[in-house]
Structures are given as structure tokens and as C-alpha cells.
Amino acid sequence: MVISTEPAVPAMRTRRPPAPATRARRRTLRSILTGWSFILPNFLGFALLTLVPMVFGLALSFMDWSPWTDEPEWVGLENFERMFRNSTFWIALGNTVYYAVGHIPLTMAVALGLALLLNRSLAGLGFFRTAFFLPYVTSLVAVAVVWNMLFNPTSGPINQFLLALGVDDPPGWTSSTAWAMPAVIVASVWRDMGYYMVLFLAGLQTIPTELYEAAKVDGANAWQRFWNITLPGLRPTTFFVLIMCTVASFKIFDLIVVMTDGGPGRATIVLSQLIYLQGIQEGRFGFASAISLVLFVLVAGFTVLQFQLQRRREAR
Amino acid sequence: MKRYPSALAAIATAAAVALAGCSSPATAPADPSGPVTLTVSAWNLESTPEFRALFDAFEAVHPNVTIQPVEILAEDYPEKVATMLAGGDTTDVLTMKNVTDYARYASRGQLLDLTDLVGELPTDKMAGLEPFDIGGKYAAVPYRQDFWLLYYNKKLFDAAGLPHPDQLTWAQYGELAKKLTSGTTADGQKVYGTYHHTWRSVVQAIAAAQTGGDQLGGDYGFMKSQYELALDLQRSGAALDYGTARTQQVNYRSMFETGQTAMLPMGTWYIASIKAAIASGKSSVDWGVAPMPQLAPGAGTTTFGSPTAFAVNEKAKNAEVAKEFVRFAAGEQGAKAIAAIGVVPAFRSDAVTAAFTALPSDELSKKAFTEDKKIVLEMPVSETTSDVDTILTEEHSLIMTGEKPVDDGLREAGDRVKNEVR
């Protein structure tokens, strides 16, 4: 881009020199174009593989289209009417929220707790940090299969342990409608905690140790130091973790499919899974797009809300 | 990305349509004896040896024909074929994996009318033709017809001093299962009287077949007695409970092959794989097959099953050769070729039974296999089939895990089918 404009410049110079304002504008334009050319490769990929399909998906949610119909047909709000009448959609929506409400605070609390524990000098620190991070890099299918074995209602170690503790009627876990979702949440917290722990650890490193020393001198106890130094110091990290964790929770798919496949009955079916079932297995592209639009609005809404809360808190 | 799987699939479809639209179909050479390359759509060739067996047998009879399989992943098969056909693909022979998809392709006029061809075939010897009848016309001919029977472990029956399960009623089957539940295998695993796999068909399709109930109708009282039997067996410990089988993803093959169950209601596709397991030394089970238990004694055998068929693409490059292939596969020669590897052909004759060497040689097994029986289609074909199937599967898991009493579960299944499916 720079090269192509070069010859034009001397030609211009023979005429009247441009007014300073025009020159400044040209320079700004030029730097904008340079900037654009740098992000162009990335943007092309994003546009082609994410933006266009997203816009297309948005349009599809107002159409009826399947592998068995020739052309997408405009049906207005029919897909949405059908969705609101579909009991599975409401159950999936409820389950998605249930999962998110259980998963987000638990994961964050456990991850923060681990990060605090592992942020001190401790024998075998590297070992423990690796150990807690391992679940995150382990194959998800293996994780789900092992958790299913642990949760086995009759011979699984968890229920054996509960029986030994004197619990007469231990939960049926993944074979019970009431306990299937808690079981999935436990497994997912265990899997994700290592990842967010690393983020929190990084956040803890940025808090200056002088603050703690000063607080100690002033006589603050451990709890006061945590509450008044650590938590405020971690705020940017916490916010980032919260956003990532929220988005990931609403999009949960893989763990549920492998662990319970939405069952028993519809006790753990979630929105992404319903989108997959309707869109890929049943070939209802329009209907599935309508559900994905709802999921998108849900995730976007929560994210925007959290951003605004954060901004308000910072303004205070 | 995950948020828009449907959009991606749609774009892939659109791209496939656009690309396929560019290629113009070439017209077929008229000479029937010249070299021909016949394309046949198939899935998972490695694990589905019947295709190779049929192709080899056909090429041996027609040396001028080379068969080129169009291999598709089994899980994606219906969508992929639908996309291919929408894009004007010219694959000659299309394998119909199930009857529901067949009805969809046929209703769009994507399959060649084979009614005349069916008229020339000895239809009295062919099973599984009926579901392909659309208003008196046929657009596919079955070559394979699986049906359900009762597998049993001879050693466990003999050890318990019980007669082999010939023509049982369901009540007798339940009692037998309880009597056969005792002891452990060499590895210390509990031996159950029977094993019901987690599929809903184990309870629902057999109930529908034997009572004449309609799985699409929304009135599911006819499944009640079959559910009560299944629940009673798992409560009494004579069958592995559904919850465990489901969460542990128990494999019915290993249950039977390691002697953890004395009986197993299952489809005939399993015959070939038991044979393979024994041949490779993985299993030493002494097995036989018996007719499916019935509601009442002495009324003949009714069971369920599903056919697999070949159809000819409406846009086939080599339509005549393709028809010849369909005729061959559905006839005695094709039947012998697949019977030899333990796959149940739709065509029945003594010669085919003789070629079916995977079957144990005892009289009961022979009878179970060859007797005249009524094979009801596993799931009726309609626009609503797949939605109803989803609902019935969900309610099945609720009833079998004891989350819902039988009556409530069946009532809810009916209500959902009536209100939500259209």
C-alpha cells in the first residue's frame, strides 16, 4: 500500500502544496490503511469462518431449510413459535442456567482457593501446580468415563464411601434425574479448576508484596489482608475469569454428551446439545439456528451485563 | 464456533450444492459388455464386510464391471447421501441404511422406480420387502434382513440343569432368568440370568410387534407388561440394572461373550461377531439361538427387525448395470455371498441356510433361524418417526431408572407425542 502511493507524491508536489489540514488528513488515512493491512489476514479468516456463518445463521433462524428441501424458505417467526412451544427447549434452557449457576461460582471459588494455597513457598510446589492443571489437559472422554465409574450408583467408590460413612440411601448420581446435574457440575469443576487456578496465580503475582508487609505492620490479620489487599488486587483477573467461565458454561456440550448424553430422560440436556440434535442429526437448520440465536443472546447479554457491573464498580 | 454448528452445516451443504451443480452428468455408454465402473454408496467398509463380499461376488459373475465403493462414515450416512442427491450426484447404487431415509429419498423422486424389477424376483422367498412398498411401487430392494432372537449360553443352562429355551413365553423367560442368576464367572463377575441392553427397542419394539401396538400413535399402554417384566428382572437382580448399564456403557457383546449373562435378546447382526470373537480366541462361549419369547404359547413366532436395501440413483450413470447389481444382491447368489460371512440375507432358501455356517449346528438354533415367523418393522416410517423416537428414548430411560412409574412414563410419552410432534 505504501509503495503504490509513492509515485503519486512527487506528481502532487509540482502543483500547489496541500493545505496543512489536508496533509494531516492524508497522513491519518495512510496510517489507518497501514493498520488495516496488518490486521487484514486475521480479519479475513474471522470474516470468512466466523462472521459470515454467524450472519448466515441469524438469517437462517427465520427460514425453513433441511437436507430434504431444495431451497431455504422464509418462514418469519415460525421457528421461534415452535421453539417456545417445545418443552425440550425450556428444559434445556433451564438446565443450561442450572449448570452455569452451579459451575461458575464453584469453579471460581475452588480455583481461587487452590491459587492461594499454591502461591506460597511449599515443598513440591511445581508438582502440585502440575497435578491440579493436569485434568484440564487430559482427554475429556477419559475424564468423563472415569467420573462415570466413580459415580456408579451401586459399585462406585463415591457411593461406597458414603455408605461407609453411614449414608443409607446415597444418590443415584448420573442415573437419577435429581442428581445427574450435580454430578456433571462436580466433574466439570474438577476439570476446569486447574486452568482458572493458573490465571489466578498469575494475578496473585502482580500484587506488590509491600502492601502485605505494610498491612502486617499495621496489624492486619490474614483474613483482613485477603479481603482488603488480595481480592481488590485480583479484580481484573477475577473479571476476566468470570467472563471466560460464563461463556464456557453457557456453551457446555462435550462433557454432558459424553457423561449423560442429556439423560436420564431430559435431566441434563443443554442448549448446545439441543442445537446439535436438531441441526445436525435432524437436519433442521432453521430451527437449530433459532435456538442458537437464543443462546447467543443469552451469552452476549450476560457478558454485557458483567462488563457494565465491572465498569460501575471501577467508577466508584 | 460451536454456537453455530447448524450454520456451518448449512454452508457446507450450500457449497456442495454449488460445486456439484457445475459438473454435468455424462450419459451412460450403451454397450452392456464393455468395461463399466459401477459406483455404490456404502459405510464403514472395514467393519461392514458384507459390502466387500457382495462386490467380489458380483465382479466374479460380471468380469467387465469394476465396483467402486463410495465410502461414507456410518454416523453421517443419511445426511451425506441427502446432500449428495440434492447436488445431483451420479453414484449408481445407493444403499438404504434404514427405511425412514428411503421414504424421504423416494418421495423426492431421487430413486429409480424398481417396481418392474421386483416383479421379476421370487418375492415369496424374500423377507423385508413390505416396508419398501410405497403405494404399490418399489424404489429399493432389500438384500439383508436382520431380526431379533434370543441368544443363550448353553453351558450355563446345562449347569443349572434347565432345558434350552425353546418357544418360551415372557413369563417363562422371566422365571428362567431368575433361576439362572447364580454364582460368578472365573473373573469374579456376577452371572445374570439375562441382559437387556439399554436400547428402547428391547422393551418397546418387541411389545409393539407382538401386541400390534403403534409406536407412533401416542397411546402406549401396550408396552406396560413388557416394562413390568424388565423392571421386575432388574429389581430382583436377574438382569443388570439399566442405570449401571447406561452409566458404565456396558457392551452387550462382552456381557454375553464372557459368560456374565445366560440369555440375551439381540439382533441377528450379532451372529457374525460372536463367530469372529470365538475364532480369534477372545471368547469361548458355547452359544445357541432360540426364537424370541412370546406373549402366549403356541401362536407362532413374532419378532421385529429391519431390512437394508439397495436402490438405484435416478441420475445413475450406469442405470442398467446398477439394476443388475440390485437384482444380484437381492437374489440367491448375493444371499449366499453374505450368508457365508454370517450376515442374514433377505433371500431365504435351503442353499442360503446351508451357506450360513456361522450358526451353531443344533436343531434349536436352526429352527430359530429358519422357521416361518412374522418380522415386524422395528419402527414404522413416517415424517414423525425421528421425533417420536427421541421422546420414546427419553421416557424409556426415565422408566428404566425408576425415576417414573411405568404408567406415568407411558402417559407422558403419549402426551408429548400428541402435543409436540407434528
Side-chain angles (χ1 to χ4, degrees), chain A:
Chain A
M1 199 132 312
V2 177
I3 294 165
S4 67
T5 52
E6 214 90 77
V9 179
M12 301 267 252
R13 230 175 246 155
T14 56
R15 289 178 213 158
R16 206 161 28 125
T22 326
R23 210 184 308 154
R25 211 178 300 138
R26 196 173 296 144
R27 207 177 300 134
T28 335
L29 180 71
R30 198 167 168 182
S31 62
I32 286 176
L33 286 178
T34 315
W36 281 0
S37 70
F38 274 114
I39 61 163
L40 188 67
N42 186 358
F43 182 77
L44 268 185
F46 165 76
L48 219 60
L49 299 173
T50 308
L51 192 64
V52 171
M54 269 177 75
V55 173
F56 191 62
L58 177 71
L60 256 189
S61 56
F62 300 97
M63 295 181 195
D64 184 20
W65 194 23
S66 77
W68 289 274
T69 55
D70 286 318
E71 299 280 320
E73 188 192 335
W74 189 265
V75 292
L77 293 174
E78 199 182 291
N79 285 328
F80 292 91
E81 280 169 37
R82 186 163 156 198
M83 180 168 75
F84 294 134
R85 269 188 285 113
N86 186 320
S87 66
T88 308
F89 166 74
W90 291 108
I91 290 174
L93 181 65
N95 286 340
T96 309
V97 174
Y98 181 2
Y99 173 82
V101 167
H103 177 254
I104 300 168
L106 268 177
T107 309
M108 289 183 64
V110 173
L112 179 59
L114 286 176
L116 290 171
L117 273 179
L118 297 180
N119 192 35
R120 54 187 72 191
S121 42
L122 192 77
L125 190 69
F127 169 78
F128 284 115
R129 284 185 181 173
T130 314
F132 286 117
F133 191 69
L134 263 185
Y136 191 74
V137 292
T138 309
S139 151
L140 179 101
V141 176
V143 167
V145 169
V146 171
W147 274 101
N148 264 344
M149 286 178 178
L150 294 175
F151 279 128
N152 184 330
T154 47
S155 58
I158 294 179
N159 275 5
Q160 297 284 339
F161 180 68
L162 288 176
L163 281 171
L165 281 184
V167 181
D168 288 332
D169 187 23
W173 299 114
T174 51
S175 60
S176 128
T177 46
W179 287 96
M181 190 55 99
V184 172
I185 292 175
V186 168
S188 71
V189 168
W190 179 81
R191 184 187 58 145
D192 290 344
M193 63 185 186
Y195 176 68
Y196 296 113
M197 174 195 78
V198 170
L199 296 181
F200 275 125
L201 269 175
L204 287 173
Q205 311 283 332
T206 63
I207 303 175
T209 44
E210 294 83 17
L211 291 178
Y212 290 104
E213 283 159 12
K216 261 186 206 166
V217 170
D218 287 345
N221 63 23
W223 179 249
Q224 285 167 322
R225 269 176 279 147
F226 170 73
W227 203 246
N228 294 309
I229 301 173
T230 312
L231 268 192
L234 272 181
R235 195 168 285 159
T237 314
T238 315
F239 179 63
F240 177 70
V241 168
L242 181 65
I243 295 286
M244 296 308 284
C245 200
T246 309
V247 173
S249 294
F250 279 112
K251 289 188 348 189
I252 179 73
F253 174 80
D254 36 16
L255 189 71
I256 297 230
V257 168
V258 190
M259 258 184 94
T260 64
D261 199 18
R266 292 177 283 178
T268 52
I269 191 167
V270 284
L271 282 178
S272 335
Q273 196 184 356
L274 188 63
I275 293 167
Y276 170 76
L277 290 175
Q278 291 290 345
I280 305 296
Q281 292 199 346
E282 300 293 335
R284 291 173 186 142
F285 301 148
F287 186 49
S289 299
I291 306 174
S292 29
L293 186 64
V294 170
L295 181 60
F296 176 74
V297 169
L298 200 67
V299 176
F302 267 90
T303 313
V304 168
L305 186 75
Q306 283 166 346
F307 262 103
Q308 270 176 355
L309 287 177
Q310 170 77 0
R311 206 168 293 150
R312 200 170 301 164
R313 206 180 300 150
E314 270 168 5
R316 247 190 317 177

Side-chain angles (χ1 to χ4, degrees), chain B residues 388-422:
Chain B
V388 174
D389 180 68
T390 306
I391 292 174
L392 288 177
T393 303
E394 286 162 358
E395 299 298 328
H396 175 70
S397 77
L398 291 176
I399 296 174
M400 292 306 291
T401 48
E403 290 285 323
K404 265 197 191 140
V406 179
D407 286 328
D408 293 5
L410 294 180
R411 193 178 325 111
E412 186 174 294
D415 288 346
R416 286 183 62 197
V417 166
K418 284 173 194 156
N419 296 330
E420 285 173 25
V421 175
R422 42 157 220 184

Side-chain angles (χ1 to χ4, degrees), chain A residues 56 65-72 285, chain B residues 7-25 79-90 108 110 315:
Chain A
F56 191 62
W65 194 23
S66 77
W68 289 274
T69 55
D70 286 318
E71 299 280 320
F285 301 148
Chain B
L8 284 181
I11 284 184
T13 315
V17 171
L19 290 176
C22 303
S23 63
S24 57
E79 291 82 10
K80 171 81 180 175
V81 172
T83 313
M84 281 163 59
L85 290 179
D89 186 274
T90 57
R108 295 197 62 195
Q110 289 168 328
K315 293 196 169 71

Side-chain angles (χ1 to χ4, degrees), chain B residues 53-54 57-59 61-62 323-335 337:
Chain B
L54 273 176
F58 186 76
E59 285 173 347
V61 181
H62 301 272
K323 280 185 181 172
E324 183 50 36
F325 177 80
V326 173
R327 186 182 293 125
F328 175 88
E332 186 158 39
Q333 284 174 297

Side-chain angles (χ1 to χ4, degrees), chain B residues 206-259:
Chain B
I206 195 66
Q210 294 184 347
T211 63
D214 178 10
Q215 291 184 74
L216 299 177
D219 205 355
Y220 297 123
F222 67 87
M223 295 174 180
K224 189 177 175 184
S225 71
Q226 209 64 29
Y227 266 114
E228 279 168 348
L229 172 76
L231 289 170
D232 177 51
L233 286 176
Q234 69 177 30
R235 259 194 303 266
S236 65
L240 182 69
D241 69 283
Y242 175 92
T244 305
R246 180 76 196 263
T247 53
Q248 305 309 302
Q249 302 181 354
V250 168
N251 185 331
Y252 64 86
R253 293 166 199 243
S254 59
M255 281 296 285
F256 190 71
E257 284 158 26
T258 57

